[in-house]
């Protein structure tokens, strides 16, 4: 009896351990390069070409080689700063105009280390730029018109941010404070969304998918269903329209209240895209 | 333990299945899809596991008489351990199955299901209950050697925390709560009785009348009841709690000892061998000091066993139940025959032999045969057959050290004696 219970105990620990470590390993991949290593100016200078282009921006070092073909400007503009400390260029996309927060977030994907001097001391703290005001929140295009398109509208930004995901079946989640709030599945066919469905929708312990019609939060669930209906057949880039959910569903009050938000749906979908194809159609 | 079903077992099974039966309409049958099946297994495992945990606690009650429903206290403890371990295993199955059932929704989802934010108290309460079980089971698994019995008992009190935490986990999450309130109350009541009430309510005061040395390291203590004495049958045992101030160890501790006196003896006698601190100190317990007795427990010579002639095999201090039975036979005019084999190392260690031989002279139905290991080696089949030709057909009772018991079991099994006809008393519960 003792032996059986003991074996079960060990098997249990092993299984839980495996589950947790597999999860930790698979979610670490994305960010464990971020603070990866110290890079000196000399090393930085060796990567000054289109074949290998590193830039130092506010203390961080970024390998943007893969990004160059996607950059909206002429290649020279971006190549000019390869192998150099480029904070200035970054902060002055156009004179006095820094890059947008969206671009900044995108930049983080390319981070490979931090810039240090010969003694190994960090050269400049990678401080987050002041959150720019609404007017400055602009896409990366240089030739933008005076009235910048909203992030919900700007197609070129969307393409740049999403790349060209393969067709297939995707699953993604949005979690907040340890709670799974959105778990969504969708198919991509020729870059268009189909079969968009929530597998899970919750907020503060309320499971929206099981709500009865007469419950207070039921309309919120309906709005989410509208979202999936609306997305059906749309190009993938249309998910950004959910930044301004009033474009998509009516009665956004409940929707934009402190419950579920379009941004969460976008986040969950992009999580799915980052994870890659879940299964092939 | 041979598989014999007692009436208490049926009650036990009914109570164990109650919560599952209540939840059955909600759960339905096992679904076909893998994740759903895992979820189902997880829920069923949790319900059965908690039921087992609470019933295990309820089985710690220890009431004289009640233990006989389950074939005696030692079998009750065996059931207690069986269900306790069963609960532990099912609880882990419950956790693992529910975790794995969420894997299709993503590994994070699975891990978050098992390790949610701290604010989800009910879930963490479940983990703590499990942890408490791991801690109090650790000595059983011998993580850090074997604890001594009293320390083990104190550690085992963590089971009360495990019980409360497990209820704290289940009550907020369960579909229907009344079965849990019911079983939880049974379990808690048993523990409260056992640890808080029974020490003052269930113990009977006795005084040490005499302490007679039988051999080196063995004494017979005679106890006189202060009030009405316990009523008992041969083969039963009591928990002895000596209160003698001059004891160097074991004062106020309860230890089980088999009653060696005949049921009609006005004194209650215990043959006590020095096997450790407490039993060592008892060798010199003061005459006139007080001792509390709780019992009687056990059902070694149960009346519902077949009443054919008996074969008794007693070794070492394991002779005590047979001493009681032999002493008692003088008072009964009729009954079945019994042949006792007294297995001792040598004549000097056969401390009850003289008295048993005298009993056998007085009582025609009783025969006593001594067997000395030092002279004859382990008991052989030929010896047994020579002195008791029909031994294979008798109802057989064994009591003695583990080595002797396993030797005899093998010997008897080889002769085709059915396990149900062999009754065995062990002097160690762990
Ligand atoms: C049903 C039963 C009947 C017994 N009858 C007799 C008897 O007639 N004569 C006799 O000399 N001994 C008898 N014993 C054994 C006796 O209980 C132990 O020898 C005694 O408890 C040892 O305590 P200790 O502190 O001296 O030794 P320890 O060194 O503490 O223990 C020695 C051994 O006894 C076991 N033990 C200790 N305390 C307990 C306890 N409270 N409950 C169960 N096991 C314990 C330990 O696990 C260990 O294996 C009987 C035991 C049981 C279970
Ligand atoms: C899982 C394996 C378990 C084993 C092996 C085990 C074993 C034992 C044993 C041998 C005893 C007898 C102690 C004595 O000599 O009086 C005992 C007592 C007891 N058990 Fe368990 N048990 C287990 C689980 C549990 C559980 C799950 C609970 C409650 C939730 C529990 C509650 C108790 C209580 C209250 C006592 C009385 C303790 C005392 O007198 O100090 N046990 N257990």
């Amino acid at each position: 009896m003792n032996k059986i219970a003991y074996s079960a105990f060990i098997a249990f620990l092993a299984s839980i351990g495996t589950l947790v470590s597999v999860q930790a390993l698979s979610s670490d991949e994305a960010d464990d390069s971020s603070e990866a290593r110290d890079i000196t100016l000399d090393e930085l200078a060796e990567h000054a070409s289109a074949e290998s282009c590193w830039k130092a921006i506010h203390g961080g070092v970024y390998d943007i080689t893969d990004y160059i073909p996607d950059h909206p400007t002429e290649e020279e503009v971006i190549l000019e700063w390869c192998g150099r400390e480029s904070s200035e260029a970054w902060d002055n996309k156009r004179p006095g105009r820094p890059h947008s927060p969206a671009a900044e977030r995108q930049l983080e994907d390319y981070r490979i280390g931090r810039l240090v001097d010969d003694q190994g001391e960090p050269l400049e703290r990678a401080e987050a730029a002041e959150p720019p005001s609404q007017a400055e929140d602009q896409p990366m295009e240089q030739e933008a018109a005076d009235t910048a398109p909203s992030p919900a509208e700007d197609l070129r930004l969307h393409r740049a941010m999403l790349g060209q995901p393969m067709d297939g079946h995707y699953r993604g989640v949005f979690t907040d404070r340890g709670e799974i709030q959105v778990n969504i599945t969708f198919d991509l066919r020729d870059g268009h969304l189909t079969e968009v469905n929530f597998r899970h929708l919750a907020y503060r312990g309320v499971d929206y998918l099981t709500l009865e019609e007469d419950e207070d939060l039921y309309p919120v669930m309906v709005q989410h269903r509208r979202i999936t209906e609306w997305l059906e057949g749309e190009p993938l880039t249309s998910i950004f329209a959910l930044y301004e959910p009033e474009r998509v569903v009516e009665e956004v009050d409940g929707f934009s209240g402190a419950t579920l938000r379009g941004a969460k749906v976008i986040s969950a979908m992009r999580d799915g895209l980052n994870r890659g194809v879940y299964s092939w159609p | 333990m041979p598989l014999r079903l007692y009436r208490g077992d049926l009650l036990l099974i009914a109570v164990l299945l109650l919560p599952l039966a209540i939840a059955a309409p909600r759960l339905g049958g096992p679904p076909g899809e893998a994740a759903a099946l895992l979820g189902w297994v997880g829920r069923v495992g949790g319900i059965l596991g908690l039921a087992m945990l609470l019933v295990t606690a309820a089985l710690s009650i220890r009431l004289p008489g009640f233990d006989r429903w389950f074939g005696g206290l030692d079998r009750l403890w065996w059931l207690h351990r069986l269900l306790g371990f069963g609960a532990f295993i099912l609880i882990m199955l419950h956790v693992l199955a529910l975790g794995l059932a969420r894997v299709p929704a993503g590994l994070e989802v699975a891990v978050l299901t098992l390790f949610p934010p701290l604010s989800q108290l009910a879930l963490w309460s479940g983990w703590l209950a499990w942890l408490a079980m791991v801690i109090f089971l650790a000595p059983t698994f011998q993580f850090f050697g074997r604890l001594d019995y009293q320390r083990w008992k104190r550690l085992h009190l963590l089971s009360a925390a495990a019980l409360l935490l497990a209820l704290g986990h289940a009550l907020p999450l369960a579909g229907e709560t009344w079965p849990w309130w019911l079983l939880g109350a049974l379990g808690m009541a048993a523990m409260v009785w056992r640890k808080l009430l029974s020490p003052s309510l269930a113990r009977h005061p006795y005084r040490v009348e005499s302490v007679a040395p039988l051999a080196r390291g063995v004494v017979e203590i005679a106890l006189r009841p202060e009030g009405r004495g316990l009523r008992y049958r041969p083969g039963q045992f009591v928990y002895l709690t000596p209160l003698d101030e001059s004891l160097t160890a074991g004062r106020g501790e309860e230890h089980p000892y088999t009653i060696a006196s005949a049921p009609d003896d006005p004194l209650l006698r215990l043959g006590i061998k020095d096997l450790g601190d407490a039993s060592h100190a008892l060798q010199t317990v003061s005459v006139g000091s007080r001792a509390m007795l709780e019992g009687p427990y056990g059902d070694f010579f149960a009346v519902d066993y077949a009443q054919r002639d008996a074969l008794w095999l007693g070794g070492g201090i394991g002779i005590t139940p047979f001493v009681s039975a032999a002493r008692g036979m003088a008072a009964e005019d009729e009954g079945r025959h019994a042949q006792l084999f007294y297995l001792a190392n040598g004549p000097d260690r056969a401390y009850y032999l003289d008295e048993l031989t005298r009993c056998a002279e007085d009582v025609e139905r009783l025969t006593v045969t001594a067997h000395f290991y030092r002279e004859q080696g382990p008991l052989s089949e030929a010896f047994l057959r020579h002195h008791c030709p029909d031994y294979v057909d008798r109802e057989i009772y064994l009591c003695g050290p583990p080595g002797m018991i396993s030797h005899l079991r093998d010997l008897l099994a080889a002769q085709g004696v059915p396990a149900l006809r062999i009754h065995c008393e062990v002097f160690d519960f762990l």
Side-chain angles (χ1 to χ4, degrees):
Chain A
M1 214 147 61
N2 292 14
K3 286 212 183 81
I4 299 173
Y6 185 66
S7 313
F9 172 64
I10 298 298
F12 176 71
L13 287 189
S15 312
I16 296 287
T18 310
L19 188 62
V20 172
S21 47
V22 165
Q23 189 263 334
L25 290 174
S26 51
S27 60
D28 270 5
E29 278 159 24
D31 47 28
D32 63 9
S33 55
S34 57
E35 285 298 332
R37 57 199 202 86
D38 293 347
I39 294 164
T40 59
L41 280 168
D42 289 346
E43 189 179 355
L44 180 67
E46 288 166 19
H47 301 270
S49 68
E51 282 70 53
S52 179
C53 173
W54 294 7
K55 293 184 177 182
I57 296 165
H58 294 303
V61 178
Y62 304 85
D63 178 353
I64 58 164
T65 318
D66 292 342
Y67 177 67
I68 297 170
D70 299 335
H71 195 259
T73 63
E74 314 257 308
E75 271 200 5
E76 292 77 68
V77 179
I78 190 166
L79 285 180
E80 184 188 341
W81 292 93
C82 289
R84 292 162 61 188
E85 163 38 76
S86 333
S87 307
E88 197 195 324
W90 179 261
D91 293 340
N92 297 283
K93 191 174 68 178
R94 272 171 292 150
R97 287 230 153 164
H99 276 74
S100 67
E104 230 164 78
R105 248 178 280 130
Q106 195 187 356
L107 179 67
E108 283 309 311
D109 291 344
Y110 297 95
R111 190 182 183 101
I112 55 168
R114 58 177 190 166
L115 190 64
V116 295
D117 63 17
D118 295 341
Q119 272 75 48
E121 292 298 314
L123 267 178
E124 193 192 348
R125 230 168 266 293
E127 57 214 4
E130 287 290 303
S133 71
Q134 209 52 40
E136 284 170 342
D137 191 5
Q138 286 206 359
M140 293 165 90
E141 284 93 329
Q142 300 284 338
E143 74 272 27
D146 286 342
T147 51
S150 94
E153 275 177 336
D154 191 320
L155 266 184
R156 294 187 61 183
L157 170 66
H158 302 163
R159 284 203 202 96
M161 287 171 66
L162 291 172
Q164 279 290 318
M166 271 181 277
D167 281 4
H169 180 63
Y170 290 83
R171 287 184 175 190
V173 295
F174 173 80
T175 63
D176 190 27
R177 285 177 240 136
E179 183 193 31
I180 307 269
Q181 296 191 348
V182 182
N183 181 349
I184 199 164
T185 70
F186 55 93
D187 287 354
L188 270 187
R189 299 220 194 290
D190 300 317
H192 286 65
L193 289 163
T194 62
E195 307 288 335
V196 187
N197 281 303
F198 292 110
R199 289 177 62 79
H200 184 68
L201 198 56
Y203 185 69
R204 302 234 159 135
V206 177
D207 185 344
Y208 281 72
L209 296 185
T210 59
L211 289 179
E212 299 288 338
E213 231 168 286
D214 53 346
E215 289 178 82
D216 288 349
L217 292 169
Y218 186 74
V220 183
M221 198 279 288
V222 171
Q223 285 162 345
H224 279 81
R225 288 243 189 275
R226 295 237 174 86
I227 293 183
T228 56
E229 283 159 24
W230 184 84
L231 287 172
E232 205 64 33
E234 293 291 314
L236 177 58
T237 47
S238 62
I239 60 174
F240 292 102
L242 305 180
Y243 278 128
E244 288 163 24
E246 63 276 12
R247 292 163 181 273
V248 182
V249 290
E250 300 147 306
E251 306 158 32
V252 283
D253 286 1
F255 184 66
S256 56
T259 54
L260 289 139
R261 291 162 186 274
K264 296 180 180 179
V265 178
I266 302 173
S267 175
M269 293 186 78
R270 296 195 65 194
D271 175 61
L273 295 168
N274 282 340
R275 288 160 186 251
V277 172
Y278 177 78
S279 62
W280 306 103
Chain B
M1 288 270 159
L3 282 175
R4 183 199 307 265
L5 215 56
Y6 291 84
R7 60 191 148 152
D9 299 351
L10 300 176
L11 183 71
L12 216 59
I13 294 169
V15 177
L16 275 178
L17 293 181
L18 173 76
L20 200 58
I22 302 297
R26 176 167 56 88
L27 294 173
E33 196 249 324
L37 181 64
L38 273 172
W40 186 86
V41 167
R43 270 188 289 275
V44 170
I47 292 173
L48 258 183
L50 182 60
M52 281 198 186
L53 183 87
L54 300 177
V55 168
T56 301
L59 285 186
S60 73
I61 181 122
R62 207 171 86 187
L63 283 176
F66 176 71
D67 61 323
R68 294 224 301 274
W69 287 35
F70 300 88
L73 193 62
D74 62 332
R75 189 168 176 280
L76 193 61
W77 284 136
W78 174 78
L79 281 172
H80 173 85
R81 294 178 45 168
L82 183 74
L83 292 181
F85 280 132
F88 183 59
I89 293 172
L90 283 175
I91 286 166
M92 293 189 293
L93 177 73
H94 160 75
V95 175
L96 201 58
L98 286 183
L100 290 178
R102 305 300 288 274
V103 167
L107 278 176
E108 283 94 307
V109 186
V111 170
L112 263 175
T113 309
L114 299 187
F115 305 100
L118 281 179
S119 56
Q120 306 219 7
L121 290 179
L123 253 145
W124 285 104
S125 176
W127 274 112
L128 285 180
W130 172 81
L131 191 67
M133 287 188 88
V134 171
I135 295 173
F136 78 72
L137 287 178
T140 317
F141 294 150
Q142 319 217 330
F143 283 160
F144 12 78
R146 231 178 133 144
L147 275 187
D148 86 82
Y149 206 90
Q150 298 305 319
R151 295 249 293 284
W152 174 84
K153 264 190 165 181
R154 247 169 281 142
L155 186 66
H156 202 65
L157 276 184
L158 260 184
S159 58
L163 186 147
L164 291 176
L165 288 165
L167 283 176
H169 169 75
L171 286 173
L173 299 174
E176 41 298 282
T177 51
W178 70 262
W180 299 129
W181 284 110
L182 179 72
L183 294 197
L186 284 179
M188 269 329 280
M191 287 201 180
V192 167
W193 164 257
R194 181 61 195 285
K195 298 313 289 183
L196 301 177
L197 301 179
S198 77
S200 51
L201 297 180
R203 291 180 180 168
H204 302 259
Y206 277 71
R207 281 202 188 272
V208 177
E209 176 99 354
S210 66
V211 182
L214 298 179
R216 189 172 37 79
V218 187
V219 291
E220 184 174 273
I221 298 180
L223 296 148
R224 181 176 294 284
E226 286 187 355
R228 228 163 46 101
L230 290 177
R231 297 171 51 78
Y232 55 89
R233 299 200 303 219
Q236 291 198 291
F237 64 92
V238 290
Y239 278 89
L240 170 74
T241 310
L243 300 178
D244 181 3
E245 303 278 346
S246 69
L247 283 179
T248 50
R251 199 174 76 84
E253 264 174 29
E254 54 172 26
H255 288 269
Y257 294 101
T258 305
I259 303 169
S261 45
D264 60 354
D265 192 331
L267 299 182
L268 190 148
R269 298 171 200 275
L270 304 172
I272 293 178
K273 183 171 179 185
D274 175 355
L275 289 170
D277 295 353
S279 50
H280 175 77
L282 274 180
Q283 305 291 316
T284 53
V285 66
S286 314
V287 171
S289 68
R290 215 162 180 222
M292 309 299 284
L293 290 191
E294 184 190 319
Y297 295 108
D299 208 7
F300 189 36
F301 298 111
V303 282
D304 49 346
Y305 296 161
Q307 294 299 304
R308 51 168 76 82
D309 288 347
L311 169 67
W312 296 345
L313 292 155
I317 194 64
I319 197 67
T320 45
F322 305 114
V323 175
S324 171
R327 284 170 166 170
M329 272 178 136
E332 289 170 41
D333 333 315
E334 56 185 71
R336 52 182 174 163
H337 287 260
Q339 167 129 20
L340 168 64
F341 283 81
Y342 193 154
L343 311 189
N345 257 332
D348 54 321
R349 299 306 294 166
Y351 22 82
Y352 275 112
L353 188 58
D354 289 347
E355 182 174 356
L356 288 168
T357 314
R358 250 179 285 125
C359 286
E361 283 162 7
D362 295 347
V363 181
E364 200 220 326
R365 293 178 285 127
L366 176 68
T367 321
V368 175
T369 312
H371 176 278
F372 300 126
Y373 186 89
R374 267 201 306 262
E375 292 159 19
Q376 292 150 302
L379 184 79
S380 68
E381 203 273 329
F383 186 93
L384 205 54
R385 186 174 296 282
H386 176 75
H387 291 277
C388 184
D390 64 341
Y391 79 91
V392 180
D393 299 318
R394 292 188 174 222
E395 202 71 15
I396 301 176
Y397 298 83
L398 311 177
C399 187
M404 172 194 127
I405 303 273
S406 67
H407 169 71
L408 291 177
R409 273 190 189 281
D410 293 348
L411 189 155
L412 294 169
Q415 298 305 312
V417 179
L420 279 183
R421 220 188 290 149
I422 304 175
H423 312 286
C424 202
E425 180 90 324
V426 275
F427 277 3
D428 198 345
F429 289 137
L430 280 182

